[in-house]
């Protein structure tokens, strides 16, 4: 019995030691993310790592050939070209973007990333470079022309997206109306659209920039309906660690330069055509 008690006690001590170590590691990661300025390190190695969801058209996505293209791809490259720094784009699980950023797997989140108070608790943001809003996309045959028309129906949303956060933070606008007051979550909007087209969901809460681009490039674009709700407009900005104060200054200065020299207008035109966008 004494031996068993001793073994249990020893195991308890070991587990407590592991927990303390893990807690210490977590604190160290947080401290580094909030205080360490990595600009000189990035400048020296010659590249910065940008995390993204590579299925988010038109911000960052892969063509059939596998080539990574998009609005944010062009914009990020243009900004860092000013400083002679290349970019390594890293596909990540979008719901884990802040974790990947803080633990150093990536240096930036630049992929239609919405600035909001909740995210600002753990991530620093650049100046806004593009305005966005959430819209409800459905098939016209389902006759959904308002949020009220989603009463009792199944809604889709991407996990970790600003649409999901808007849904959760303002439940009376839409969440409380839908089936079981719970949306179906998807890893990508591409998969969500597949289910919408198949009738497995009746509506999809999605960024307007994605919805407009996707629907425009569909052969059956006339089959879709886009409903404006009452969610607040959103600001797309670059997310970075709070300690990267130099990075923030450089990106903000770069965005201003691109706006002044006409590069930003060219990128707008390339990806949105004559559609009016607000920078």
């Amino acid at each position: 019995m004494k031996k068993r008690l001793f073994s249990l006690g020893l195991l308890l001590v070991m587990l407590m030691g592991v927990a303390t170590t893990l807690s210490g590691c977590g604190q160290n990661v947080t401290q580094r993310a909030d205080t360490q300025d990595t600009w000189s390190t990035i400048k020296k190695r010659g590249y910065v790592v940008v995390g993204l969801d590579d299925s988010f058209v038109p911000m960052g996505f892969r063509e059939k050939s596998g080539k990574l293209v998009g609005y944010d791809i062009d914009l990020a490259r243009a900004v860092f070209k000013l400083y002679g720094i290349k970019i390594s784009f890293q596909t990540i699980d979008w719901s884990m973007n802040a974790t990947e950023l803080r633990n150093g797997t990536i240096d930036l989140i630049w992929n239609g990333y919405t600035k909001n108070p909740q995210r600002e608790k753990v991530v620093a943001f650049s100046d806004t470079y593009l305005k966005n809003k959430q819209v409800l996309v459905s098939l016209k045959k389902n006759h959904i022309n308002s949020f009220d028309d989603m009463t009792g129906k199944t809604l889709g949303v991407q996990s970790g997206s600003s649409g999901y956060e808007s849904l959760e933070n303002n439940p009376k606008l839409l969440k409380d109306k839908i089936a079981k007051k719970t949306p179906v979550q998807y890893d990508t909007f591409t998969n969500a659209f597949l289910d919408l087209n198949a009738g497995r969901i009746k509506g999809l809460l999605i960024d307007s920039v994605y919805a407009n681009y996707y629907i425009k490039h569909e052969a059956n674009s006339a089959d879709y309906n886009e409903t404006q709700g009452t969610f607040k407009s959103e600001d797309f900005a670059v997310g970075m660690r709070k300690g990267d104060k130099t990075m923030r200054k450089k990106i903000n200065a770069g965005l201003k330069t691109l706006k002044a020299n006409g590069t930003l207008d060219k990128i707008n035109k390339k990806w949105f055509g004559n559609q009016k966008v607000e920078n």
Side-chain angles (χ1 to χ4, degrees):
M1 179 64 72
K2 288 182 180 180
K3 287 183 178 180
R4 288 180 181 175
L5 288 173
F6 177 77
S7 297
L8 287 171
L10 184 60
L11 180 61
L12 249 168
V13 171
M14 291 172 66
L15 289 173
M16 289 174 65
V18 170
T20 302
T21 301
L22 290 174
S23 176
C25 289
Q27 290 174 356
N28 289 337
V29 167
T30 299
Q31 185 177 15
R32 283 198 303 270
D34 290 345
T35 61
Q36 190 173 29
D37 192 317
T38 64
W39 179 259
S40 59
T41 301
I42 289 170
K43 182 74 174 174
K44 186 176 180 179
R45 78 185 183 200
Y47 69 92
V48 62
V49 182
V50 170
L52 78 163
D53 164 12
D54 64 1
S55 65
F56 187 21
V57 297
M59 308 311 287
F61 64 102
R62 294 193 184 277
E63 296 180 322
K64 291 182 179 179
S65 65
K67 181 182 179 182
L68 187 63
V69 297
Y71 183 93
D72 280 336
I73 306 302
D74 289 349
L75 186 58
R77 283 174 173 157
V79 167
F80 280 97
K81 184 178 179 181
L82 297 173
Y83 305 109
I85 295 174
K86 295 182 179 180
I87 300 181
S88 173
F89 291 100
Q90 177 67 47
T91 302
I92 59 173
D93 177 345
W94 191 245
S95 64
M96 296 294 289
N97 52 31
T99 300
E100 300 282 21
L101 176 69
R102 290 169 70 80
N103 67 22
T105 305
I106 60 175
D107 299 309
L108 298 170
I109 304 170
W110 197 330
N111 190 211
Y113 193 43
T114 299
K115 184 190 305 185
N116 63 36
Q118 184 177 349
R119 288 173 174 172
E120 286 178 321
K121 292 177 182 179
V122 293
V123 175
F125 282 94
S126 70
D127 292 339
T128 299
Y129 64 84
L130 190 68
K131 293 285 187 179
N132 179 54
K133 56 189 173 184
Q134 293 297 316
V135 294
L136 177 65
V137 174
S138 60
L139 295 177
K140 285 184 179 179
K141 66 181 181 181
N142 292 327
H143 306 292
I144 296 171
N145 300 303
S146 69
F147 281 6
D148 286 338
D149 290 335
M150 280 298 296
T151 302
K153 295 181 173 66
T154 308
L155 176 76
V157 68
Q158 185 185 28
S159 300
S161 67
S162 56
Y164 177 79
E165 292 178 5
S166 295
L167 191 72
E168 292 294 315
N169 295 334
N170 306 276
K172 291 182 180 180
L173 297 182
L174 182 58
K175 184 182 178 184
D176 289 350
K177 305 178 192 298
I178 63 177
K180 299 180 181 179
K181 297 184 179 182
T182 305
V184 177
Q185 296 186 50
Y186 295 89
D187 55 347
T188 68
F189 283 131
T190 302
N191 290 333
F193 261 106
L194 289 174
D195 271 9
L196 179 69
N197 294 332
R200 286 185 282 270
I201 59 175
K202 297 302 181 183
L204 174 60
L205 189 64
I206 185 173
D207 297 87
S208 61
V209 294
Y210 186 111
N212 293 338
Y213 189 90
Y214 182 94
I215 293 172
K216 181 181 177 181
H217 288 79
E218 284 290 282
N220 57 337
S221 59
D223 293 346
Y224 294 95
N225 188 45
E226 196 173 306
T227 303
Q228 303 291 332
T230 51
F231 288 118
K232 293 181 179 178
S233 62
E234 303 171 351
D235 295 331
F236 278 172
V238 186
M240 65 203 81
R241 290 179 287 269
K242 290 190 174 184
D244 279 321
K245 298 186 183 336
T246 303
M247 178 92 76
R248 186 173 185 274
K249 291 178 182 177
K250 296 291 186 180
I251 290 175
N252 286 342
L255 291 172
K256 288 177 181 177
T257 297
L258 297 183
K259 189 169 186 177
N261 67 20
T263 301
L264 185 57
D265 285 338
K266 290 179 181 178
I267 296 174
N268 287 341
K269 182 75 173 177
K270 176 181 177 180
W271 292 104
F272 298 113
N274 294 322
Q275 178 187 338
K276 185 178 179 181
V277 295
E278 186 179 350
N279 295 117

